[in-house]
Every structure is written in structure tokens, then in C-alpha cells.
């Protein structure tokens, strides 16, 4: 501990998270949407190897912000735990259980010698066995909270403020509305526009769907149109 | 070698990390065997074959023989699960007790039956009760019958071959409805609608299979359980005493009746049926 009661290593880990590319998650009534800002890929690099949204189980998906290597380890452990749970309890993991497991793992590394905390913040979303959607966020310190919508990584604060302003239960009652909200939130902070967005949609009882670039493009043009219309209205009022 | 080293979770094997072993007890996972049993093993190289020498019935110089003298049964029907047991404990040809409690109340909605070694059954089922309660506290939700039976089966599987004697049925009601599982000391775990365990099980099966019907109403189902144990107690020397009947419903188990086998004998002999209370 530092003299004023802070765990400095944990706080430095949170700084590392703030340097990572933005990830946003929105929990709708019928779907949980996770979106990340893809880092621009070099010309010779294969695009597929940069995966920031991963499946932990058929019904649990995770996006993260921070050190990708740390994330890989955590994802491995979480995937094993999901299967292990299925084996011993004969039920798929609940979102809360797997979040608690990941958070517990992160906490363990803030309290052992010779180890450093994980430098990632995870957004874990999905549907429980009983059909209820959940979205959780875990921090390097090992705490976890449930959210209706949240963002993490670079400019997370801006995105969260945007979500607080525009999140309504009517907006997310449909899947399309949830996706639109997630994309709008990401567009606020993503510099290079729609080409660098990766959106994943999780529905109850169905496998994860990664939206392809055409669908995202369509959505983005729709959003931009709406923005223009709003800007027009404002001009007219003046 | 301590038993505690034998029980390792899948996760810890695949990700052997020296730091983790320090804290693996504290991390609440589904596989956590928080009750690390530090049982003393015989200080020989091969514990299992050493133990087999003393209680394997094929051996000539048999020193300790465990009797599975009992009859217990359980079946699922439309109104829940009926569990019926006898109450005789035998040590060889000596009747040790006529008033043994062979139904173990794990928690208000889970029942376990005892067949085989009394100590083994009651110890392991109490351990199971501990794990079930921990599960409830951690996950804020009752454990399912499937998970509870799996916990028990995994616990005894680590002691496979070391002479445990336990043939138990777990009956309960969870989100999936009524559940009945048979678990024994080999680690066998079977899901079913009807089971009978013990030396008198064959007699009980005869009566049960003849009259079992899913659509029985409550009193008929309880009477069927009672009658099946009575017939087993009548013919099997190692079963007798009292017939205890329990009924597991959606809101938990209920103790139904405890009737002396002799009393049942005089009632059934005169072709009467037990008065419906």
C-alpha cells in the first residue's frame, strides 16, 4: 500500500487500461451489443489475428481494453472455467458467476508476490440460462459491477457521458436500437470512422453474430443522416 | 501422500501456477473442494491394494466385512418424490439396531438415503450438506439436485478403491422439477425415476415395478413406498424395524410416517389397507 492508502500497482494498471482502444457495451431487452475500436491494421498484416471480442462460452461474450496479452491469459482461464462449471454443475455458467471468477482471478494477482495486476478492463455480456441479459465490467483491481451500458479504454468518460445522455429503455427495447446506440457511442470517439469498428451482437439462445462491414456501414450512414437532420433543425430554429 | 493432493481441479492442472496453489482454496469455483480432507493413509506404498486385503470379500482371510443390509427406495411421480427406508442395522447375524435413521436431511429440499456403511453415508452426506450450503451462499441460489449429486459423486470418486461403502439416493426438487439420483462409492451416478438400494432391493423392486404409475395420487404413492419396504423387510433378514416414508414436494420435503413392520404385517395379513390419515 502507498502511505495514503492506494495500491499503486493497481492504479498504474488502470492507467494502462486508459491507453487501450475503446470498448463499449450496451444491454438491450433482446440483445447485448459489444463494440470495439479496431486499431488500424498495417498493410501487410492479416486482419484476422487482431481479435478484441471473444467468446467465453456459447452464451457469454467478452470485450476488453488494455494489454491484449494479459487478456489472452484471462480468456483462456475463463473458457476453461466455463466448461469446468458445465461439467460439475450440469448447467451453463451464469454471467454473474463467470464475472465473479474473472474478478477473483484479477484480485488474486493484486495480492501475490512477484506478480503484477492484469492490465485489462473487461466488458462481459450475454444471456443467462433463464433468458435475462446481463452486462458486467471488471477492473484490474478485481471489482466488478453490472451496467446497463458502459465503456472502457481510451476516452471512456466521453462515451459514458454520451450513453448516460442517450440511453433510454425505449431505445434499447429493439435489437436495432441497441446496435445503433452502441455504434453512435463509439463514433463519438473513434477517429477514423466506420472502417475501424467491430460490433458483436449476442441474442438469447443464438450464437454470437459479428456484424459485417456492410451492415455497420448502413447503420453509420443512417446515424450520420440523423445527425445532419438534427443539425438542420437546429439551424432552422435559429 | 495426503489425500488433499489427489483432489485437484481441472483448472489447476491445466494452468499450474505456483502462486495459485497458495490461494486456490479461497477462489470460489464450482470445483473447489474447500474441505480438504487430511485423512491419514496407511503408511504403505499402495494404499488401495492394502485396504483391499482387509475388506475385499473375495479374499480368504477376510478380517472386516461390511454389510449392505438394508432396503431403501425412491421414486418420482406426478406429485414429487417418495423416499421410503427401513431401519435395521446388522453386524453379521446380530441385529445392532432396529431404529436407525436412514434418511439424511441434507437441507429443507434435499434428502439423502443411507445404504452400506452407516459412517460413510452420514459423513459424506454431511460434507455434501456443507458444500450445498456454500454453493447457496456464493451463488445466491439453491443448488440443483444434479449438481449436488455430482458433488457427492466426485467427492467419493477420489477415494475409489479405498474401501468406502455407500449406496445412496439423492432426492430433491429444483428448477427442473423433481430429481432423483443414485450415487455409490464407486463414483457411479445415475439419474432415474425409480431406484431401490440394499440387500432387500430385489423384493422392493418386485412390488414397485408391478404397481408403479406416474399418475398415482399422493396417498397411493406413499402407500406403495411403504408396502414395498414392508415386503422387503418381511423376506430379507437384514431389513426390518420401522418403515419411514418421506415425500419431497416443490416447497421441500415432508416427513410422512414411521410405521413398525410388525404392525404393517398384521394389517396386510388380514387384507386390510393402512387407514388413510
Amino acid at each position: 500500500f502507498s502511505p495514503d492508502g492506494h495500491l499503486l500497482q493497481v492504479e498504474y494498471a488502470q492507467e494502462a487500461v486508459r491507453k487501450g482502444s475503446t470498448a463499449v457495451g450496451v444491454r438491450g431487452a433482446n440483445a447485448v451489443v459489444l463494440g470495439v475500436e479496431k486499431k488500424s491494421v498495417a498493410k501487410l498484416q492479416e486482419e484476422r489475428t487482431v481479435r478484441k471480442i471473444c467468446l467465453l462460452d456459447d452464451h457469454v461474450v467478452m470485450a476488453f481494453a488494455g494489454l491484449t496479452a494479459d487478456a489472452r491469459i484471462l480468456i483462456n482461464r475463463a473458457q476453461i472455467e466455463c466448461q469446468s462449471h458445465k461439467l460439475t454443475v450440469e448447467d451453463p455458467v451464469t454471467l454473474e458467476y463467470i464475472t465473479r471468477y474473472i474478478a477473483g482471478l484479477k484480485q488474486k494477482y493484486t495480492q501475490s508476490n512477484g506478480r503484477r495486476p492484469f492490465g485489462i478492463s473487461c466488458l462481459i455480456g450475454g444471456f443467462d440460462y433463464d433468458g435475462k441479459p446481463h452486462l458486467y465490467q471488471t477492473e484490474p483491481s478485481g471489482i466488478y459491477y453490472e451496467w446497463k451500458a458502459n465503456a472502457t479504454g481510451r476516452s471512456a468518460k466521453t462515451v459514458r457521458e454520451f450513453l448516460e445522455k442517450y440511453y433510454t429503455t425505449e431505445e434499447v427495447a429493439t435489437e436495432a436500437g441497441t446496435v445503433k446506440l452502441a455504434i453512435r457511442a463509439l463514433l463519438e470517439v473513434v477517429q477514423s470512422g466506420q472502417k475501424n469498428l467491430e460490433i458483436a451482437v449476442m441474442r438469447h439462445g443464438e450464437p454470437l453474430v459479428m456484424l459485417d462491414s456492410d451492415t455497420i456501414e448502413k447503420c453509420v450512414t443512417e446515424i450520420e443522416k440523423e445527425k445532419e437532420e438534427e443539425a438542420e433543425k437546429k439551424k432552422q430554429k435559429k | 501422500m495426503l489425500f488433499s493432493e489427489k483432489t485437484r481441479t481441472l483448472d489447476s492442472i491445466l494452468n499450474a501456477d505456483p502462486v495459485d496453489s497458495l490461494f486456490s482454496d479461497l477462489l470460489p469455483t464450482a470445483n473447489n473442494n474447500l474441505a480438504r480432507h487430511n485423512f491419514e493413509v496407511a503408511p504403505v506404498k499402495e494404499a488401495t491394494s492394502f485396504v483391499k486385503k482387509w475388506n475385499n470379500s473375495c479374499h480368504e482371510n477376510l478380517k472386516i466385512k461390511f454389510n449392505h443390509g438394508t432396503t431403501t427406495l425412491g421414486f418420482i411421480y406426478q406429485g414429487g418424490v417418495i423416499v421410503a427406508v427401513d431401519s435395521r442395522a446388522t453386524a453379521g447375524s446380530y441385529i445392532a439396531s432396529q431404529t436407525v435413521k436412514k434418511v439424511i436431511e441434507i437441507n429443507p429440499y434435499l434428502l439423502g438415503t443411507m445404504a452400506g456403511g452407516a459412517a460413510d453415508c452420514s459423513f459424506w452426506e454431511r460434507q455434501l450438506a456443507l458444500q450445498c450450503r456454500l454453493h447457496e451462499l456464493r451463488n445466491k441460489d439453491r443448488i440443483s439436485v444434479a449438481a449436488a449429486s455430482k458433488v457427492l459423486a466426485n467427492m467419493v470418486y477420489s477415494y475409489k478403491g479405498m474401501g468406502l461403502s455407500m449406496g445412496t439416493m439423492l432426492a430433491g426438487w429444483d428448477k427442473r422439477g423433481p430429481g432423483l439420483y443414485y450415487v455409490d462409492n464407486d463414483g457411479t451416478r445415475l439419474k432415474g425415476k425409480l431406484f431401490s438400494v440394499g440387500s432387500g432391493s430385489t423384493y422392493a423392486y418386485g412390488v414397485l415395478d408391478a404397481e408403479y404409475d406416474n399418475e398415482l395420487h399422493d396417498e397411493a404413492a406413499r402407500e406403495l413406498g411403504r408396502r414395498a419396504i414392508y415386503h422387503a423387510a418381511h423376506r430379507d433378514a437384514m431389513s426390518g424395524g420401522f418403515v419411514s416414508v418421506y415425500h419431497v414436494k416443490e416447497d421441500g420435503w415432508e416427513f410422512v410416517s414411521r410405521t413398525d413392520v410388525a404392525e404393517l404385517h398384521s394389517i396386510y395379513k388380514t387384507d386390510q389397507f393402512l387407514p388413510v390419515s
Side-chain angles (χ1 to χ4, degrees), chain A residues 84 87-88 91 97 101 109, chain B residues 11 17 20 30-31 150 176:
Chain A
S84 198
L87 184 66
T88 46
D91 254 337
Y97 179 88
Y101 176 79
Y109 279 66
Chain B
D11 185 38
D17 184 348
D20 288 347
N31 292 322
K150 201 125 202 196
R176 295 202 186 106

Side-chain angles (χ1 to χ4, degrees), chain A residues 76-77 80-81 84-91 94 96-97 100-101 104-105 108-109 111-113 115 129, chain B residues 10-11 14-15 17-20 23 27-31 135 138-140 144 146-147 150 154 176 181 189:
Chain A
N76 251 350
R77 303 286 292 267
I80 292 173
E81 181 59 26
S84 198
H85 184 275
K86 236 192 227 174
L87 184 66
T88 46
V89 183
E90 290 196 349
D91 254 337
T94 56
E96 214 245 324
Y97 179 88
R100 215 162 359 109
Y101 176 79
L105 206 54
K108 210 160 64 159
Y109 279 66
Q111 211 177 8
S112 18
N113 58 319
R115 315 271 144 176
Y129 186 63
Chain B
L10 182 65
D11 185 38
L14 293 174
N15 295 287
D17 184 348
V19 172
D20 288 347
F23 295 102
L27 198 65
T29 66
N31 292 322
H135 179 106
R138 287 191 190 122
N139 300 44
K140 296 173 203 154
S144 65
K150 201 125 202 196
N154 289 341
R176 295 202 186 106
Y181 286 82
R189 177 180 164 266

Side-chain angles (χ1 to χ4, degrees), chain A residues 171-183:
Chain A
E171 179 80 32
V172 299
T174 65
E175 186 191 309
T178 322
V179 173
K180 209 155 61 149
L181 184 62
I183 296 183

Side-chain angles (χ1 to χ4, degrees), chain B residues 230 263-272:
Chain B
Y230 158 75
E263 200 187 298
L264 285 175
H265 179 74
S266 50
I267 292 174
Y268 292 144
K269 198 162 185 243
T270 56
D271 253 339
Q272 288 171 19

Side-chain angles (χ1 to χ4, degrees), chain A residues 1 39 66 71 100 130 134 162 170 177 227:
Chain A
F1 282 100
K39 245 184 7 190
R100 215 162 359 109
D130 57 8
H134 293 279
F162 174 88
E170 296 89 44
K227 268 197 196 157

Side-chain angles (χ1 to χ4, degrees), chain B residues 109-130:
Chain B
Y109 53 93
L110 259 185
L111 285 179
T113 62
M114 185 200 293
D120 287 335
C121 285
S122 54
F123 178 81
W124 288 108
E125 291 191 9
R126 294 190 102 209
Q127 288 295 318
L128 175 64
L130 188 159

